[in-house]
Amino acid sequence: STWLESGEALLACLAYIDLNPVRAEMVERPEDYRFCGMAYRVQTGNRDGFLSWDGLPFSNRRKAFALYRAYLYQNGGMDSNRGKNREDFPGTA
């Protein structure tokens, strides 16, 4: 295990986890893998605030999902055109 001391390290770790099913060629997009945080946020809208953005370097919590998704696609080397309904995710175009 590794101690994550900064929000940037936590963000990188979450992205690594969410991108594992893509790298394993199980799905084309992280949100298509039903057992990850990205899919939970997309499918349920993070019902009841189950997943927190605490500790992550997002100054605007209202746009945190769009910022995280943009980070995931940019830093994961994914083509942002893969995301369905891109207009639903401000900041990712």
Side-chain angles (χ1 to χ4, degrees), residues 34-68:
R34 66 182 268 198
F35 300 109
C36 74
M38 182 68 171
Y40 183 81
R41 289 181 193 281
V42 169
Q43 294 167 6
T44 70
N46 195 25
R47 186 175 331 149
D48 300 322
F50 180 70
L51 299 175
S52 172
W53 294 115
D54 291 349
L56 294 172
F58 299 130
S59 59
N60 186 335
R61 296 289 183 212
R62 296 188 68 190
K63 293 185 178 181
F65 177 78
L67 294 170
Y68 176 65

